[in-house]
Amino acid sequence: MNTRRFFLTTLGSLSASLVFASCSQQSTQKSPNKTQTISQKEQKEIIKVGVTGIVSQDILKFVNNHLAAQEDLEIQIVTFNDWIQPNTALRDKVIDANFFQHRPFMNNAVKELNLNLVALNTVYLNTLGLFSKNLKSISEIPQNATVTIANDVINNDRGLRLLAANGLIKLKENAKQFITQRDIAANPKNLQIKEVEGVQVVRAINDVDFIVSSAQTVALAGIEPNSMGEETAKDKKYALALVTLQGRENEPKIQKLNKLLVHPHVKDFINKEYKGRLIPVF
């Protein structure tokens, strides 16, 4: 009996040892997988991208949440309050790229800031319009009306040309490439044109008769984006592009984001989210 009990006890101990060993082995096998997962997260490339507006920020968030993982990429968004810092931050290597400007604006920044910048893929077009809280049509604009436009070289030119396209001013025939108020030949309504930083334009809508802004910016301010007059040509040269320092454009993480920004899912997101206020150009 004792022999049998010894045999059963030994067999039970052996079984328990085998079970324990098996569990230990399984635990050991699972451990590398967990470590591997952590390692994979650590291997994600981080790209810092500067923006000034909600639209570019939202598009980048969409890319980060839905597409970036397939490229082992993580997008960190850095926001700025003006249109100068996103380019100087590139110079100072605070960020890797920015996503707030079109090529004409970038070309002017290259001259003014003495920077070597390069535009990569263009993503969306934000067309300008004439917006007012009180006026509903061009014909309602009174004499001596006040209008606010952006003061930077490119968007000032763009805003004045929109006023001219809608018959509110007339420009000199031999106007230079980028026009200013000095190039106005006729101002039949005696418009009082106020120039402010681009990011401040929409905030002036309560203080002037109308503004020159984009429909999306106006909508974000909680104002019904019904334009009295829009740009007649949807010129792709004003489409926003991913921009970086010259010499960095071929860095893998920048090229990964450049490719993702023109993914078909991004086009679908823009069309669904902005309902024609923004136009994808890819």
Side-chain angles (χ1 to χ4, degrees), residues 1-19:
M1 178 70 67
N2 291 336
T3 304
R4 183 172 181 272
R5 183 178 295 170
F6 174 78
F7 175 76
L8 290 174
T9 302
T10 305
L11 182 62
S13 299
L14 178 61
S15 299
S17 299
L18 289 172
V19 170

Side-chain angles (χ1 to χ4, degrees), residues 152-166:
D152 66 276
V153 172
I154 305 302
N155 289 298
N156 189 257
D157 168 88
R158 196 176 170 191
L160 290 171
R161 290 186 189 279
L162 181 58
L163 293 176
N166 284 277

Side-chain angles (χ1 to χ4, degrees), residues 149 156 160 179-184 191 193-195:
I149 65 175
N156 189 257
L160 290 171
I179 62 171
T180 67
Q181 291 194 52
R182 291 189 294 272
D183 297 299
I184 297 175
L191 294 181
I193 303 172
K194 299 182 177 183
E195 300 177 4

Side-chain angles (χ1 to χ4, degrees), residues 70-81:
Q70 69 189 40
E71 294 287 349
D72 292 323
L73 189 68
E74 179 183 331
I75 303 167
Q76 292 185 357
I77 300 169
V78 182
T79 58
F80 296 95
N81 295 321

Side-chain angles (χ1 to χ4, degrees), residues 44-268:
K44 277 189 177 180
E45 285 188 287
I46 294 175
I47 182 168
K48 295 182 179 181
V49 186
V51 300
T52 58
I54 297 296
V55 173
S56 292
Q57 188 171 341
D58 285 348
I59 291 173
L60 287 172
K61 284 180 179 178
F62 174 83
V63 172
N64 191 55
N65 294 337
H66 298 279
L67 301 172
Q70 69 189 40
E71 294 287 349
D72 292 323
L73 189 68
E74 179 183 331
I75 303 167
Q76 292 185 357
I77 300 169
V78 182
T79 58
F80 296 95
N81 295 321
D82 63 45
W83 290 352
I84 298 174
Q85 291 184 77
N87 282 327
T88 56
L90 276 181
R91 177 196 62 199
D92 299 335
K93 297 187 178 178
V94 174
I95 56 177
D96 302 299
N98 62 46
F99 185 40
F100 82 103
Q101 61 191 324
H102 45 63
R103 279 182 168 83
F105 184 93
M106 185 200 75
N107 291 337
N108 186 66
V110 165
K111 296 176 183 177
E112 291 193 349
L113 301 175
N114 193 28
L115 288 175
N116 291 322
L117 303 176
V118 58
L120 303 176
N121 283 332
T122 51
V123 182
Y124 69 90
L125 179 67
N126 207 351
T127 56
L128 294 186
L130 310 180
F131 299 94
S132 173
K133 276 196 167 181
N134 303 311
L135 307 173
K136 298 187 182 305
S137 67
I138 297 290
S139 61
E140 292 182 17
I141 296 175
Q143 288 293 124
N144 304 309
T146 51
V147 54
T148 297
I149 65 175
N151 65 0
D152 66 276
V153 172
I154 305 302
N155 289 298
N156 189 257
D157 168 88
R158 196 176 170 191
L160 290 171
R161 290 186 189 279
L162 181 58
L163 293 176
N166 284 277
L168 293 168
I169 60 174
K170 186 176 180 180
L171 301 173
K172 295 176 181 176
E173 291 185 4
N174 297 321
K176 54 190 178 183
Q177 182 181 5
F178 298 122
I179 62 171
T180 67
Q181 291 194 52
R182 291 189 294 272
D183 297 299
I184 297 175
N187 185 358
K189 286 186 177 288
N190 193 33
L191 294 181
Q192 306 301 304
I193 303 172
K194 299 182 177 183
E195 300 177 4
V196 300
E197 283 193 36
V199 292
Q200 303 293 332
V201 170
V202 73
R203 298 175 190 174
I205 199 166
N206 293 318
D207 304 317
V208 295
D209 292 295
F210 67 103
I211 62 173
V212 179
S213 182
S214 71
Q216 180 59 23
T217 303
V218 170
L220 288 170
I223 304 160
E224 191 66 31
N226 294 324
S227 175
M228 296 186 292
E230 296 178 341
E231 286 177 315
T232 55
K234 295 179 174 62
D235 195 335
K236 287 187 180 181
K237 74 179 181 181
Y238 292 124
L240 267 67
L242 184 68
V243 172
T244 190
L245 280 177
Q246 195 170 59
R248 297 195 63 185
E249 62 269 30
N250 292 319
E251 288 183 16
K253 62 183 177 182
I254 292 174
Q255 279 302 317
K256 286 178 181 180
L257 178 58
N258 191 43
K259 180 176 72 172
L260 291 176
L261 281 172
V262 293
H263 191 284
H265 289 347
V266 175
K267 180 179 288 188
D268 293 340

